Amino acid sequence: KPRLYSGMQPSADSLQAGNYIGALLQWREMQNSYDAFFSVVDLHAITVPQDPAELREKTRRTAAQYIAAGIEPSKSTLYVQSHVRAHAELAWILSTITGFGEAGRMTQFKDKSARYGADSASVGLFTYPVLMAADILLYQSELVPVGDDQKQHVELTRDLAERFNKRFGKTFTVPKAVIQKDTARIYDLQNPTSKMSKSAESDAGVLWLLDDPAKSAKKIMRAVTDTEGSVRYDRENKPGVSNLLTIYAALSGRQVGSIEDEYAGRGYGDFKKGLAEVVVNEFGPVRERVLELLDDPAELDRILAANAARADEVADATLRDVYDKVGLLRRV
Ligand code: TYM
């Protein structure tokens, strides 16, 4: 089976609806046809300040959310990035073939470093995409299912793979991003022209996978819409309603058109109530399962360790080849 790779940062207590819809739903589907590797990228998370005890907890919680959402650790390799040392090692090698300007053009770095300020933004934040390239390339991955915001990072990964192959001989599979057109970008409920994000300034527009269902319902009822009053998809002129329609369709497995028909001639209140029900029905069971999994952290850690051992094997083979290709003397 062809390889597939993706990951998420353990940067909050809960994933948000954008992570779930833009990434996890695809992962769950694709794990059946691919040899899939899914990591919790804790080394990426520490590119901005994290509390150590909280980071450990968030890492377990993120893994639990993968499993609760349907990623099966017996089918897919689900592991913690820092458990596999090859990631940091390959990132170093790749950083030596990455241009300074090239890394500086990454829009996510520009956004984040602007937020933290030039001196508080770490060098790790700058080289973040190089570590991401290492994640993907270690496993000879063909496909990388992500949301729209990671597209540029996957492009860089392709460039680095091609550059390395050209300079040192065929070593890496050149991967492709898989971006689901309709759900590539889920927007903030209060600010439907910016993407929903774990690090949003205000919590009011973020739907958390692990939130109390009553709280999620309330957020949906308060979501920004418009004054037209008709449930109709129009991204340009009706960003709020269109975003709610996207979420509704993705979580119910229905077409946007059929939802528009159902709510034709009815107000936004009804539509939002319907959506709240869909969200609660989908997220509720995931939340319960996460709480069960977190009740037995030792078992969770055992699953992660077994999966990391599997990842190690594949990653070590690639890393050894890379070390040989660039001319590092083998320790005998
Ligand atoms: P992260 O943790 O920011 O996001 C995880 C995944 O969720 C997607 N996503 C969204 N999709 C739609 N709408 C949104 N509002 C939304 N917000 C987030 C992201 O596109 C992503 O797919 N750099 C990556 C993690 C990573 C990675 C990798 C991914 C590290 N190594 C290797 C793929 C392959 C990130 O920060 O994801």
Side-chain angles (χ1 to χ4, degrees):
K1 284 189 195 169
R3 288 256 164 74
L4 176 150
Y5 196 95
S6 203
M8 290 196 199
Q9 298 193 66
S11 48
D13 285 333
S14 169
L15 298 176
Q16 38 90 0
N19 302 133
Y20 187 81
I21 296 169
L24 266 174
L25 286 180
Q26 296 189 67
W27 297 6
R28 181 167 77 196
E29 188 61 33
M30 293 178 91
Q31 69 177 336
N32 298 313
S33 334
Y34 294 90
D35 181 16
F37 286 74
F38 299 117
S39 58
V40 178
V41 295
D42 52 351
L43 296 174
H44 277 110
I46 60 170
T47 56
V48 300
Q50 302 287 344
D51 174 85
E54 281 178 20
L55 177 62
R56 263 187 286 277
E57 193 47 35
K58 288 172 180 171
T59 300
R60 277 209 192 96
R61 288 174 79 90
T62 303
Q65 288 171 89
Y66 287 8
I67 297 173
I71 304 303
E72 294 173 43
S74 54
K75 199 182 268 176
S76 301
T77 305
L78 188 174
Y79 70 101
V80 176
Q81 184 189 34
S82 66
H83 291 177
V84 177
R85 294 191 176 177
H87 289 255
E89 293 186 47
L90 181 60
W92 175 256
I93 305 284
L94 292 177
S95 77
T96 66
I97 65 160
T98 308
F100 199 84
E102 188 176 35
R105 282 193 291 278
M106 296 292 119
T107 56
Q108 202 157 65
F109 169 71
K110 288 197 267 188
D111 291 349
K112 285 196 188 173
S113 57
R115 196 177 327 149
Y116 288 95
D119 276 328
S120 331
S122 65
V123 172
L125 196 61
F126 184 64
T127 57
Y128 178 114
V130 179
L131 177 59
M132 179 162 160
D135 299 343
I136 296 166
L137 298 180
L138 274 175
Y139 300 90
Q140 307 293 348
S141 317
E142 291 185 29
L143 297 182
V144 185
V146 285
D148 174 63
D149 59 342
Q150 297 302 315
K151 195 172 166 184
Q152 196 187 25
H153 291 161
V154 180
E155 283 303 315
L156 175 72
T157 304
R158 290 172 57 83
D159 290 344
L160 294 179
E162 279 165 0
R163 188 174 307 155
F164 191 99
N165 286 347
K166 210 159 141 205
R167 197 174 299 175
F168 299 106
K170 174 86 181 86
T171 308
F172 295 124
T173 303
V174 181
K176 272 201 208 66
V178 183
I179 296 170
Q180 220 79 57
K181 184 167 116 302
D182 300 334
T183 55
R185 190 170 277 248
I186 301 296
Y187 296 86
D188 189 281
L189 300 184
Q190 287 301 320
N191 190 2
T193 49
S194 42
K195 72 166 183 179
M196 191 179 285
S197 160
K198 287 184 226 125
S199 52
E201 263 165 46
S202 153
D203 178 68
V206 184
L207 277 181
W208 300 103
L209 187 55
L210 300 184
D211 240 355
D212 167 7
K215 217 162 146 192
S216 299
K218 219 177 252 165
K219 281 186 184 171
I220 292 167
M221 296 312 290
R222 293 198 184 127
V224 165
T225 48
D226 53 60
T227 53
E228 191 202 32
S230 80
V231 178
R232 182 170 66 78
Y233 190 94
D234 178 349
R235 186 68 247 156
E236 282 292 294
N237 302 305
K238 296 167 69 67
V241 171
S242 303
N243 187 43
L244 297 179
L245 273 166
T246 302
I247 297 173
Y248 200 131
L251 296 182
S252 63
R254 290 173 57 187
Q255 299 294 322
V256 166
S258 112
I259 301 164
E260 286 172 338
D261 291 347
E262 180 181 344
Y263 292 99
R266 296 161 67 186
Y268 291 153
D270 268 5
F271 169 57
K272 287 175 165 177
K273 264 190 219 140
L275 174 59
E277 212 176 286
V278 166
V279 168
V280 168
N281 284 342
E282 178 80 9
F283 289 3
V286 175
R287 178 173 185 258
E288 309 244 303
R289 181 84 184 102
V290 166
L291 296 179
E292 271 169 34
L293 287 161
L294 292 175
D295 252 355
D296 190 354
E299 170 62 8
L300 192 57
D301 288 354
R302 202 193 52 72
I303 294 173
L304 292 172
N307 277 239
R310 208 150 80 201
D312 251 335
E313 276 181 36
V314 180
D316 279 345
T318 303
L319 188 68
R320 183 175 304 228
D321 185 27
V322 168
Y323 274 25
D324 285 345
K325 291 262 181 42
V326 300
L328 302 180
L329 178 66
R330 267 204 195 189
R331 169 179 155 181
V332 290

